[in-house]
Amino acid sequence: MLLLWISAAALEFLIWLGASIPFHLTMALFSLAFAVLIFRGYRWVFWINLGLLSLMLGVAILQLQIPSWANGAPPLAVWGRAIITVGMMLLHQLSSVQGWFGIQGRGRRWQTVFWLVTASLTMLGQYVLPTLKAFSR
């Protein structure tokens, strides 16, 4: 997970160097900060990371369902982002990742909470962009 966030920070920084759009620099700094927090092993970062990934998956699903929400991104790029996001979410299921964050006693109840959080935030992610657009009118 740490390597993926560092890679995301580097990629966003390179995009920022080419495009000079402040959003990409902000995302690079955010990704780098997240990588540092993951490296430090803070337990709450596990859940924040899972929440962000779930929201990102929901937005990707929205963009696949309604291509006009993809802001010109090709469907293959949206599919790629969705697949990478699912892969990162599945990394959260590895016992070594859970052990890194000090999560002990992973039983049926923990799995239920994990997948309910994931499913709820993924569904919420599908409605974030349309809701924000509706409020901006």
Side-chain angles (χ1 to χ4, degrees):
M1 243 187 316
L2 176 62
L3 182 61
L4 292 171
W5 278 104
I6 290 173
S7 300
L11 180 63
E12 288 289 344
F13 184 73
L14 290 175
I15 292 171
W16 175 75
L17 286 176
S20 296
I21 299 172
F23 171 78
H24 294 292
L25 180 61
T26 303
M27 289 308 296
L29 294 173
F30 177 79
S31 298
L32 185 61
F34 224 78
V36 169
L37 291 171
I38 288 172
F39 180 73
R40 299 283 304 191
Y42 292 111
R43 186 176 183 171
W44 57 269
V45 174
F46 177 90
W47 293 103
I48 299 295
N49 190 29
L50 179 67
L52 289 172
L53 292 171
S54 299
L55 289 170
M56 287 170 44
L57 180 61
V59 169
I61 291 170
L62 170 71
Q63 291 173 338
L64 289 169
Q65 290 172 337
I66 307 170
S68 63
W69 285 99
N71 293 329
L76 186 59
V78 177
W79 273 107
R81 189 173 63 233
I83 290 168
I84 290 169
T85 302
V86 168
M88 288 180 68
M89 289 167 59
L90 291 175
L91 281 177
H92 284 75
Q93 288 293 299
L94 296 176
S95 59
S96 59
V97 171
Q98 294 168 0
W100 175 270
F101 290 99
I103 297 173
Q104 305 296 328
R106 300 170 298 268
R108 184 176 300 263
R109 181 172 180 220
W110 189 90
Q111 290 292 326
T112 303
V113 170
F114 178 91
W115 288 113
L116 282 175
V117 167
T118 301
S120 300
L121 291 175
T122 299
M123 287 187 301
L124 180 66
Q126 287 184 282
Y127 299 106
V128 167
L129 291 179
T131 303
L132 291 176
K133 185 175 181 179
F135 282 137
S136 67
R137 290 183 187 175

